[in-house]
Amino acid sequence: MKKVAVIGGGIIGLCSAYYLAKEGYEVSVFDESNMDNGCSYGNAGMIVPSHIIPLAQPGMIAQGIKWMFDSRSPFYVKPRLSKDLLNWGMQFYKHANLRHVENAMPALRDLSLLSKELYQDFAKENNSFFYEEKGLLMLYKSDKVGEEMHHEGKEAERLGLEVDYLSKSEVALLEKGTNTNVIGGVHYKSDAHLYPQKFMTFIKEELSRLKVEIHSQTSVRDFVLEGNKIEKIVTDKGLYRTDEVVLASGSWSPFLAKKLNISISILPGKGYSFTLKDKTQKPSIPSILCEGKVAVTPMSNDIRFGGTMEITHTKDNKINANRLQGIINSINDFYPDMKVEMPKTEDTWFGFRPCTPSGMPIIARDKKIVNLTLATGHAMMGLSLAPATGKVITEIISGKPTSVAIDRFQI
């Protein structure tokens, strides 16, 4: 059996390990953390075929500049003297056009729909992670944002997704969990959601059953190459021989890629979330509060709120109270009866989403290192796209035709 080393123990790495092990590979996963608190655990838990428009899109730069002057805005680029930030910004500018969006949408749709099918398969096996298909509500409070949401809905319909356009009263008929202060909403009926922590427990149990070796608290430091092939990975706990390597270490991927003289343009997008436990009054339909870009997800008896995208660096470990307050303000504005208060610091999660300047994930065989495959840069879509990414990674390594076209997911 060929040995495969998966570097990264988040949901992308673990789903890659799952499908590789199912294919018959001898798989080892390496992660420097305890594998219990990254983006795979604190995210909104949404599976979103509706999210077909990448972050790099027309109008995003102008909107981003406006948000830069509001400390509670949903998007922020932390200014600093950085070559990586300058290069990322220049590439983002080049991608923020209609042609890029048109090319990206079908690719994201296909990858998302494949992921949803694979999640359905997991749930049929054991739905311990509360997988549900209630769709996603895009709720809005202004005519301008409503027009934008309707336009995006029509684009999704053009690509075959099922969309409903709801008035204020129709939103109230659908969302019976709590009152909503909105003028309308767009309901993407193709979307689903789950409880991230419980899915991570499930997938780890599956990997244990498949005899996948998990090396947590193990830092990958370097690589031993023979020509253009990785022979061994160097960790703080010793050398490990491998036949194939999958780099799935999220926002930390560029640092490891540099060890191989590979340049990957990824910056961490810091986001926050918090979970209210055992709430009787809460929204029943996963939603995005459009003006504040806040994600709202019911998870069994709990409710999770998440938001903000702060382009920063991985050493930025402080909770920005103003950005968190922006999330709270949006929640209470859209759900006036909930009266949500600022969570305690210890109850607030933050994590770093790996953001490419194109807004597209990287799922590709490296062009220089013949036994290296990249699975990174999924930004806010890591959980949503993880099973499809893992399946496609396995197909790439096995030399099989991929289930979906991957030409848009290159470096």
Side-chain angles (χ1 to χ4, degrees), residues 101-201:
V101 171
E102 287 288 338
N103 290 331
M105 288 194 298
L108 288 172
R109 173 203 59 192
D110 293 346
L111 195 65
S112 286
L113 290 175
L114 174 60
S115 243
K116 182 182 173 183
E117 288 177 17
L118 297 173
Y119 272 122
Q120 289 171 334
D121 291 343
F122 282 136
K124 288 173 188 173
E125 186 177 329
N126 172 11
N127 193 12
S128 58
F129 45 89
F130 301 106
Y131 174 85
E132 292 186 85
E133 295 182 1
K134 292 185 175 181
L136 175 68
L137 273 173
M138 305 296 290
L139 299 174
Y140 55 86
K141 296 172 62 65
S142 68
D143 290 330
K144 180 178 182 295
V145 174
E147 288 174 9
E148 293 170 0
M149 292 304 104
H150 277 242
H151 172 72
E152 290 183 10
K154 293 299 181 184
E155 289 295 310
E157 281 189 296
R158 183 169 64 85
L159 289 171
L161 302 181
E162 191 178 356
V163 184
D164 282 346
Y165 304 91
L166 308 179
S167 65
K168 177 186 176 88
S169 59
E170 288 169 331
V171 169
L173 283 173
L174 185 63
E175 179 50 86
K176 294 184 171 65
T178 189
N179 289 329
T180 51
N181 178 25
V182 299
I183 66 169
V186 176
H187 188 207
Y188 288 94
K189 302 175 84 169
S190 56
D191 290 14
H193 69 286
L194 52 77
Y195 208 132
Q197 283 97 328
K198 296 185 186 300
F199 180 79
M200 292 299 282
T201 297

Side-chain angles (χ1 to χ4, degrees), residues 24 48 55 59-60 63 66 110 213 234 243 302 311 318 327 340 358:
V48 282
L55 185 63
M60 188 61 193
Q63 181 63 69
K66 291 178 185 176
D110 293 346
E213 289 187 1
V234 181
D243 298 301
D302 306 334
I311 302 298
K318 292 182 179 178
I327 296 173
V340 173
S358 68

Side-chain angles (χ1 to χ4, degrees), residues 15-77:
C15 283
S16 297
Y18 173 83
Y19 289 105
L20 285 162
K22 293 272 283 186
E23 190 68 17
Y25 292 98
E26 186 178 328
V27 185
S28 298
V29 177
F30 299 86
D31 196 285
E32 65 179 6
S33 75
N34 285 325
M35 295 171 57
D36 62 0
N37 195 35
C39 281
S40 303
Y41 298 83
N43 66 75
M46 292 178 175
I47 298 141
V48 282
S50 62
H51 282 37
I52 52 174
I53 299 177
L55 185 63
Q57 58 185 275
M60 188 61 193
I61 292 173
Q63 181 63 69
I65 291 171
K66 291 178 185 176
W67 278 335
M68 285 282 285
F69 298 99
D70 181 357
S71 64
R72 295 179 179 178
S73 70
F75 180 79
Y76 180 67
V77 179

